[in-house]
Every structure is written in C-alpha cells, then in structure tokens.
Amino acid sequence: MLAPLFALTLLAAPAAKPLPATNTTCPVLGGKVTESSKTVTVRGREYRLCCAGCDTNLLKDPDKYLQKDGTPKNAKK
C-alpha cells in the first residue's frame, strides 16, 4: 500500500539543481573556458568544456578527469 505512494512521491519530487560550473579550464583537454562555454552535468555538478567532443569523454569516464570531490584533476592548485 505504501510502495505506490512512495513511488509517486519520488516521481513528483523536483530534480535537484546541479551546482554551477566554476572551472576555468576544460577538465578533459585543459583548454580555456568561459561562462558561455558548453556545460555538462556530472554527479550533480556542472563543468564547462572547451569543445564538443569533451562532453562525451567526461560523461563516459568521469573518474579519469575528476577527483573524488569533483575537482578537475587538471585544476591548478
């Protein structure tokens, strides 16, 4: 009895808004990005990308490009 109600609640709940992109370089190729660059959402966070092919690579293997905390591996420290 409660299972259908719970399922409807999950379907009705709005999706959480992803954290906005803050990266200044592409996590895949390292190219410069701007606020108008294409973005992709991975694990609840947006990332700006330098070119069209980077979205596929980042979505396919995010662990290759992102630290566990979501920081791009190529981010300057």
Side-chain angles (χ1 to χ4, degrees), residues 3-68:
L5 234 35
F6 182 69
L8 287 174
T9 303
L10 287 177
L11 291 174
K17 187 173 181 180
L19 294 174
T22 58
N23 58 304
T24 56
T25 59
C26 176
V28 179
L29 294 179
K32 284 194 163 233
V33 295
T34 66
E35 288 186 16
S36 62
S37 296
K38 179 179 179 168
T39 61
V40 66
T41 302
V42 178
R43 299 179 187 148
R45 179 183 269 180
E46 292 180 335
Y47 296 92
R48 294 185 186 110
L49 305 169
C50 65
C51 61
C54 290
D55 59 346
T56 303
N57 291 331
L58 184 57
L59 290 168
K60 182 179 174 183
D61 190 6
D63 291 331
K64 182 175 179 180
Y65 306 103
L66 303 174
Q67 303 285 353
K68 289 195 185 288

